[in-house]
Amino acid sequence: VQLQASGGGSVQAGESLRLACAVSGRTVSRHGLAWFRQAPGKEREFVGNIRRSAYGGSPSYADSVKGRFTISRDSAKNTVFLQMNSLKFEDTAVYYCGLAERHLAGPMIRASDYDFWGMGTQVTVSS
């Protein structure tokens, strides 16, 4: 199983970026996927997730990004996207996508809920 995150970059505050997580070895519609981020000196932080289609496939978000970030899934491309709008300086981090092998009870907002990870992509927001 491989996850390849891409789309990071350096932007000004208020601008947008779209991250992509291309998955091979698993079908994205059959698994929950999540985005986490990690800033220097901080722990990996939940950003949002999207559940497997059989469980509704609805996304959920951390309060810090709710209303600004949107997660979507393209089954034809076997890819999950993170659209980030109105970026803030505090959004600066390395962003990781994770895939859960099994559906778990609860909100699935812990990094330990996910079994496979991509390498991460850097997002830098300057104020």
Side-chain angles (χ1 to χ4, degrees):
V1 179
Q2 291 188 330
L3 287 74
Q4 180 65 50
S6 62
S10 296
V11 296
Q12 298 283 330
E15 295 183 342
S16 299
L17 280 173
R18 188 175 80 151
L19 306 184
C21 177
V23 176
S24 59
R26 292 292 186 272
T27 303
V28 296
S29 62
R30 297 179 181 177
H31 294 272
L33 286 107
W35 288 95
F36 284 73
R37 65 187 181 187
Q38 189 165 17
K42 294 187 177 181
E43 294 186 354
R44 193 167 292 196
E45 174 191 28
F46 172 77
V47 174
N49 64 13
I50 185 165
R51 293 182 175 273
R52 58 189 294 186
S53 298
Y55 289 90
S58 58
S60 60
Y61 305 95
D63 287 343
S64 58
V65 307
K66 200 172 293 183
R68 299 189 296 122
F69 290 12
T70 303
I71 295 175
S72 61
R73 175 170 47 213
D74 187 328
S75 296
K77 296 181 179 179
N78 213 40
T79 298
V80 173
F81 298 96
L82 178 66
Q83 177 68 42
M84 305 186 295
N85 298 330
S86 302
L87 281 161
K88 302 177 181 180
F89 173 76
E90 50 265 39
D91 294 320
T92 296
V94 178
Y95 283 70
Y96 299 89
C97 55
L99 181 145
E101 192 75 298
R102 294 165 301 279
H103 176 77
L104 302 174
M108 295 185 70
I109 61 173
R110 302 173 302 179
S112 59
D113 293 333
Y114 298 87
D115 303 287
F116 301 100
W117 293 91
M119 289 298 293
T121 185
Q122 175 71 46
V123 172
T124 302
V125 185
S126 55
S127 57

